[in-house]
Amino acid sequence: MGLKMIPAGVHFVYCSVKGAPRIGFFHNFKSEEIVVKKWDKQKETFSDEVNRFRLNLKNIDSTLGPYPFENYRSWYALTDFINGQTVERLNPLKGKISAQAELVSMETCLMENEELNATVGCSNSVDREHPVRTRFVDQQGLPIMKIRDGYEIRFLAIPQLNANENRVGIDYTDRLERVIRQLDGDWKQLLAEVQFAFACFLIGQVSLVSRIFIKVYE
Protein backbone atom coordinates (compact mmCIF):
# COMPACT_ATOMS: atom_id res chain seq x y z
CA MET A 1 0.00 0.00 0.00
CA GLY A 2 2.91 2.33 0.65
CA LEU A 3 6.14 3.00 2.52
CA LYS A 4 7.01 4.39 5.93
CA MET A 5 10.24 5.56 7.58
CA ILE A 6 11.31 7.30 4.37
CA PRO A 7 14.55 9.27 4.97
CA ALA A 8 14.16 13.02 4.66
CA GLY A 9 15.37 14.37 1.33
CA VAL A 10 14.68 13.98 -2.36
CA HIS A 11 13.21 10.73 -3.66
CA PHE A 12 11.72 9.56 -6.95
CA VAL A 13 8.42 7.67 -6.75
CA TYR A 14 7.04 5.86 -9.78
CA CYS A 15 4.54 3.23 -10.81
CA SER A 16 3.45 1.55 -14.02
CA VAL A 17 1.03 -0.99 -15.35
CA LYS A 18 2.69 -4.09 -16.81
CA GLY A 19 3.93 -3.26 -20.28
CA ALA A 20 3.18 0.46 -19.89
CA PRO A 21 5.71 3.31 -19.50
CA ARG A 22 6.64 4.40 -16.00
CA ILE A 23 5.08 7.54 -14.55
CA GLY A 24 6.61 9.13 -11.47
CA PHE A 25 7.55 12.28 -9.64
CA PHE A 26 10.36 13.75 -7.57
CA HIS A 27 9.49 14.86 -4.05
CA ASN A 28 11.56 16.48 -1.33
CA PHE A 29 10.32 14.64 1.76
CA LYS A 30 10.30 16.52 5.06
CA SER A 31 10.58 14.87 8.47
CA GLU A 32 7.28 13.23 9.49
CA GLU A 33 5.63 14.38 6.26
CA ILE A 34 2.70 12.40 4.87
CA VAL A 35 2.39 12.12 1.09
CA VAL A 36 -0.57 10.29 -0.41
CA LYS A 37 -1.09 9.83 -4.13
CA LYS A 38 -4.07 8.08 -5.67
CA TRP A 39 -3.63 6.41 -9.05
CA ASP A 40 -6.32 7.29 -11.58
CA LYS A 41 -6.67 4.32 -13.95
CA GLN A 42 -8.58 6.24 -16.59
CA LYS A 43 -6.34 9.32 -16.71
CA GLU A 44 -3.22 7.29 -15.86
CA THR A 45 -1.91 9.90 -13.46
CA PHE A 46 -1.64 10.72 -9.75
CA SER A 47 -3.95 12.81 -7.61
CA ASP A 48 -3.39 14.04 -4.05
CA GLU A 49 -5.42 12.47 -1.26
CA VAL A 50 -3.90 13.32 2.12
CA ASN A 51 -6.60 14.43 4.57
CA ARG A 52 -8.52 11.14 4.71
CA PHE A 53 -5.36 9.14 5.42
CA ARG A 54 -4.01 11.61 7.97
CA LEU A 55 -7.06 11.02 10.17
CA ASN A 56 -6.67 7.26 9.87
CA LEU A 57 -2.87 7.06 10.09
CA LYS A 58 -2.70 4.74 13.12
CA ASN A 59 -4.90 2.15 11.45
CA ILE A 60 -2.99 2.05 8.18
CA ASP A 61 0.52 2.08 9.68
CA SER A 62 0.58 -1.72 9.85
CA THR A 63 -0.15 -1.94 6.12
CA LEU A 64 2.87 0.17 5.16
CA GLY A 65 6.15 -1.48 4.29
CA PRO A 66 9.50 -0.20 5.63
CA TYR A 67 11.70 1.85 3.34
CA PRO A 68 14.40 -0.38 1.73
CA PHE A 69 17.39 1.12 3.54
CA GLU A 70 19.73 -1.35 1.83
CA ASN A 71 19.25 0.73 -1.35
CA TYR A 72 19.51 4.15 0.26
CA ARG A 73 23.30 4.44 0.02
CA SER A 74 23.17 3.85 -3.75
CA TRP A 75 20.34 6.35 -4.16
CA TYR A 76 22.14 8.98 -2.08
CA ALA A 77 25.34 8.53 -4.09
CA LEU A 78 23.33 9.00 -7.27
CA THR A 79 21.47 12.13 -6.14
CA ASP A 80 23.55 13.76 -3.39
CA PHE A 81 23.58 17.17 -5.14
CA ILE A 82 19.81 17.22 -5.77
CA ASN A 83 17.86 19.21 -3.19
CA GLY A 84 14.48 20.86 -2.85
CA GLN A 85 15.60 23.82 -4.96
CA THR A 86 16.59 21.47 -7.79
CA VAL A 87 13.24 19.67 -7.71
CA GLU A 88 11.29 22.93 -7.70
CA ARG A 89 13.36 24.32 -10.56
CA LEU A 90 13.38 21.27 -12.85
CA ASN A 91 10.10 19.48 -12.17
CA PRO A 92 7.56 19.70 -15.00
CA LEU A 93 4.77 22.17 -14.26
CA LYS A 94 2.29 19.27 -14.28
CA GLY A 95 4.39 17.58 -11.60
CA LYS A 96 4.81 14.17 -13.23
CA ILE A 97 7.59 12.62 -15.28
CA SER A 98 6.64 9.99 -17.84
CA ALA A 99 8.85 7.56 -19.72
CA GLN A 100 6.66 8.28 -22.72
CA ALA A 101 6.73 11.95 -23.66
CA GLU A 102 3.40 13.78 -24.00
CA LEU A 103 3.92 14.76 -27.64
CA VAL A 104 1.54 16.88 -29.70
CA SER A 105 1.76 18.03 -33.30
CA MET A 106 2.42 21.65 -34.21
CA GLU A 107 -1.05 22.05 -35.72
CA THR A 108 -2.63 20.74 -32.51
CA CYS A 109 -0.67 23.31 -30.50
CA LEU A 110 -1.94 26.07 -32.75
CA MET A 111 -5.53 24.86 -32.58
CA GLU A 112 -5.39 24.79 -28.79
CA ASN A 113 -4.07 28.36 -28.77
CA GLU A 114 -7.27 30.24 -29.61
CA GLU A 115 -5.61 33.65 -29.97
CA LEU A 116 -2.94 32.40 -32.37
CA ASN A 117 -5.30 30.09 -34.23
CA ALA A 118 -7.57 33.03 -35.00
CA THR A 119 -4.87 34.33 -37.36
CA VAL A 120 -3.53 31.00 -38.64
CA GLY A 121 -6.79 29.08 -38.91
CA CYS A 122 -5.61 25.52 -38.28
CA SER A 123 -8.02 22.63 -38.70
CA ASN A 124 -7.85 18.84 -38.60
CA SER A 125 -11.19 18.50 -40.36
CA VAL A 126 -12.16 19.21 -43.95
CA ASP A 127 -15.22 21.39 -44.54
CA ARG A 128 -16.24 24.43 -46.57
CA GLU A 129 -14.28 26.78 -44.34
CA HIS A 130 -11.23 24.49 -44.27
CA PRO A 131 -11.00 22.68 -47.63
CA VAL A 132 -7.47 21.48 -46.83
CA ARG A 133 -6.16 20.04 -43.56
CA THR A 134 -3.40 22.10 -41.98
CA ARG A 135 -0.17 20.17 -41.69
CA PHE A 136 3.30 21.18 -40.49
CA VAL A 137 6.12 18.88 -41.57
CA ASP A 138 9.90 18.93 -41.51
CA GLN A 139 12.27 18.54 -44.47
CA GLN A 140 11.74 14.77 -44.46
CA GLY A 141 7.97 15.18 -44.56
CA LEU A 142 7.49 14.02 -40.96
CA PRO A 143 5.07 15.86 -38.65
CA ILE A 144 6.64 18.45 -36.37
CA MET A 145 6.09 17.33 -32.78
CA LYS A 146 6.78 18.99 -29.44
CA ILE A 147 6.29 18.08 -25.80
CA ARG A 148 2.95 19.33 -24.52
CA ASP A 149 3.23 22.39 -22.30
CA GLY A 150 3.59 21.50 -18.64
CA TYR A 151 5.11 18.05 -19.21
CA GLU A 152 8.65 19.05 -20.14
CA ILE A 153 11.50 18.77 -17.64
CA ARG A 154 12.76 22.34 -17.31
CA PHE A 155 16.48 21.88 -17.90
CA LEU A 156 18.62 24.97 -18.39
CA ALA A 157 19.10 25.98 -22.00
CA ILE A 158 22.70 25.57 -23.16
CA PRO A 159 24.05 28.95 -24.38
CA GLN A 160 25.15 29.38 -27.98
CA LEU A 161 28.84 29.13 -28.76
CA ASN A 162 30.67 32.46 -29.01
CA ALA A 163 33.21 32.38 -31.83
CA ASN A 164 36.31 34.51 -31.34
CA GLU A 165 39.92 34.58 -32.42
CA ASN A 166 41.23 33.47 -29.03
CA ARG A 167 39.42 30.12 -29.05
CA VAL A 168 41.80 27.17 -29.06
CA GLY A 169 40.33 23.94 -30.43
CA ILE A 170 36.93 22.90 -29.13
CA ASP A 171 36.82 24.87 -25.89
CA TYR A 172 33.41 25.15 -24.21
CA THR A 173 34.64 26.86 -21.04
CA ASP A 174 32.75 30.07 -21.79
CA ARG A 175 29.49 28.16 -22.19
CA LEU A 176 30.05 26.35 -18.90
CA GLU A 177 30.71 29.62 -17.10
CA ARG A 178 27.58 31.20 -18.59
CA VAL A 179 25.47 28.26 -17.41
CA ILE A 180 26.88 28.57 -13.89
CA ARG A 181 26.12 32.31 -13.92
CA GLN A 182 22.49 31.46 -14.71
CA LEU A 183 22.56 29.45 -11.48
CA ASP A 184 23.91 32.43 -9.51
CA GLY A 185 27.34 30.83 -9.39
CA ASP A 186 26.10 27.66 -7.68
CA TRP A 187 28.03 24.95 -9.56
CA LYS A 188 26.50 22.28 -7.35
CA GLN A 189 23.14 22.98 -8.98
CA LEU A 190 24.69 22.19 -12.35
CA LEU A 191 25.85 18.82 -11.05
CA ALA A 192 22.39 18.35 -9.53
CA GLU A 193 20.86 18.89 -12.96
CA VAL A 194 23.10 16.19 -14.44
CA GLN A 195 22.13 13.82 -11.61
CA PHE A 196 18.45 14.68 -12.11
CA ALA A 197 18.71 13.78 -15.81
CA PHE A 198 20.52 10.52 -15.07
CA ALA A 199 18.00 9.50 -12.39
CA CYS A 200 15.16 10.14 -14.86
CA PHE A 201 16.93 8.00 -17.45
CA LEU A 202 17.97 5.19 -15.10
CA ILE A 203 14.91 4.86 -12.87
CA GLY A 204 12.18 6.72 -14.73
CA GLN A 205 13.31 5.16 -18.04
CA VAL A 206 13.03 8.58 -19.67
CA SER A 207 15.04 9.00 -22.85
CA LEU A 208 17.26 12.06 -22.41
CA VAL A 209 20.25 13.58 -24.12
CA SER A 210 22.52 15.19 -21.55
CA ARG A 211 25.53 17.38 -22.17
CA ILE A 212 28.25 17.56 -19.56
CA PHE A 213 30.77 20.41 -19.46
CA ILE A 214 34.15 19.81 -17.88
CA LYS A 215 36.76 22.42 -17.09
CA VAL A 216 40.16 21.53 -15.69
CA TYR A 217 41.74 24.16 -13.47
CA GLU A 218 45.50 24.16 -13.32
Side-chain angles (χ1 to χ4, degrees), residues 135-193:
R135 291 289 183 266
F136 294 91
V137 296
D138 59 17
Q139 295 179 349
Q140 286 73 39
L142 299 174
I144 299 176
M145 309 293 288
K146 62 167 290 186
I147 298 178
R148 185 181 290 277
D149 291 340
Y151 291 90
E152 185 174 9
I153 301 174
R154 297 175 292 167
F155 293 116
L156 279 178
I158 299 177
Q160 294 296 319
L161 186 66
N162 288 333
N164 58 63
E165 297 178 356
N166 298 324
R167 182 177 300 280
V168 178
I170 305 176
D171 182 8
Y172 293 151
T173 300
D174 58 331
R175 302 174 79 184
L176 171 61
E177 292 175 342
R178 288 163 64 189
V179 168
I180 294 178
R181 283 199 295 270
Q182 292 181 52
L183 297 169
D184 297 326
D186 188 355
W187 57 269
K188 292 183 179 180
Q189 277 299 306
L190 178 59
L191 295 180
E193 190 160 322

Side-chain angles (χ1 to χ4, degrees), residues 93-106:
L93 296 177
K94 294 292 185 180
K96 70 174 184 178
I97 296 174
S98 175
Q100 181 175 327
E102 297 279 347
L103 296 175
V104 291
S105 63
M106 183 67 73

Side-chain angles (χ1 to χ4, degrees), residues 8-26:
V10 175
H11 296 269
F12 182 74
V13 183
Y14 72 88
C15 70
S16 67
V17 181
K18 185 177 181 180
R22 291 180 178 180
I23 297 177
F25 59 92
F26 278 92

Side-chain angles (χ1 to χ4, degrees), residues 16 24 28 42 46-47 52 58 63 67-69 90 92 94 100 103 115 121 140 150-152 157 177 205 215-216:
S16 67
N28 184 29
Q42 293 183 340
F46 300 101
S47 61
R52 181 168 63 89
K58 291 184 179 180
T63 67
Y67 179 88
F69 282 94
L90 299 181
K94 294 292 185 180
Q100 181 175 327
L103 296 175
E115 182 178 348
Q140 286 73 39
Y151 291 90
E152 185 174 9
E177 292 175 342
Q205 298 181 348
K215 177 177 180 180
V216 178

